[in-house]
Amino acid sequence: MEKKNIDWANLGFGYMETDKRFVANYKDGAWDEGALISDPTVTISECAGVLQYAQTCFEGLKAYTTEDGHIVTFRPDLNAARLKSSCERLEMPVFPEERFIQAVSDTVAANEAYVPPYGSGATLYIRPYMFGSNAVIGVSPADEYQFRVFTTPVGPYFKGGAKPLTIRVSDFDRAAPHGTGHIKAGLNYAMSLYAIVDAHKKGFDENMYLDPATRTKVEETGGANFLFVTKDNKVVTPKSGSILPSITRRSLITVARDYLGLEVEEREVLFEEVKDFAECGLCGTAAVISPVGKIVDHDKEICLPSGMTEMGPITKKLYDTLTGIQMGRIEAPEGWIHVIR
Ligand code: PLP
Ligand code: COI
């Protein structure tokens, strides 16, 4: 398979149209069999549930070319399960989990020419999503839905790659207690746009959201979970019912414990404790692990001892081990790697 002529090493995190996408429609209580199609546009009612009342959710995962030349995805079963919980919370029909994995695999295989080569530093980002497609004017769930999967080759989520980020404590909230912070609903991202644009205007890379009820505990950023390292090399990650259960974070916990022999604590993390940590990272599919060097809380600054020039040593080990597993250089735990071809 001849690859497209793309400058893989200089890709940012952006959308590039690829050849094929998967589309399935839900009507009269059932999903059709779906198909790979070429048309990248969507035609729906002007009154579609997604357009009026934001009835939409999505997933994000990546395809990698391994050292020995296979194309694989990483734990797609967990994305299928998370989409199921998003759909249930948003009164949307579940797309069967085995069919989700098949649709992802078929879409990646159909766009093989866009899967970045091993060692290029880029990956193929996969975006499965679903939305209410028929007309809804009273506030109620739609009756018809579309599930789609597209792919786009991407580089690092944050410009500068592994350069430590500066983030700020946000005055805005991301999720309400008992709200939708734990699912991947489009609405969570819509309401974060004002805060991220404002953060960027003021020179910050991301927002740190605190728990909305007490504003004393660390939750997550707009698109990644937090991972901290204590001065005695313990990995600490916030536990909360209103953060997205990151697959990267859950995988890094296993990597830390079973591959690196580190102690891991999943627990409430008080903002007050953050000044005592040695390292901080943002973890997610797009972010992988992006190191944080500085956290600004209004007129106070927390400068992590790992500094502003490179990843801290534990963050680096976690990053190298996780990406080693994803690229086939390090043996993966059973069931983590789904081989497409
Ligand atoms: N938190 C939020 C709000 C996200 O959007 C994402 C991205 O998916 C994550 C965390 C990281 O989750 P994952 O590791 O499953 O990609
Ligand atoms: C991801 O990491 O897959 C995300 O969805 C984060 C962001 C692009 C929304």
Side-chain angles (χ1 to χ4, degrees), residues 13 58-61 82 125 127 157 184 189 222-224 284-287:
F13 194 86
F58 66 100
E59 274 302 320
L61 68 165
R82 195 170 60 189
Y125 188 71
R127 173 54 61 88
Y157 188 63
K184 218 161 158 60
Y189 300 82
T285 298

Side-chain angles (χ1 to χ4, degrees), residues 174-239:
R174 172 185 176 274
H178 316 293
T180 54
H182 61 299
I183 60 163
K184 218 161 158 60
L187 59 92
N188 292 341
Y189 300 82
M191 46 67 61
S192 76
L193 297 176
Y194 185 85
I196 193 66
V197 169
D198 185 59
H200 288 163
K201 264 189 218 154
K202 292 174 177 150
F204 302 106
D205 297 299
E206 251 293 3
N207 287 300
M208 170 186 267
Y209 292 104
L210 301 180
D211 74 293
T214 70
R215 293 188 163 269
T216 57
K217 291 172 267 186
V218 177
E219 294 247 296
E220 62 174 327
T221 67
N225 283 179
F226 278 105
L227 201 142
F228 298 99
V229 181
T230 64
K231 287 181 179 143
D232 55 358
N233 292 347
K234 225 182 271 166
V235 172
V236 179
T237 176
K239 188 172 180 167

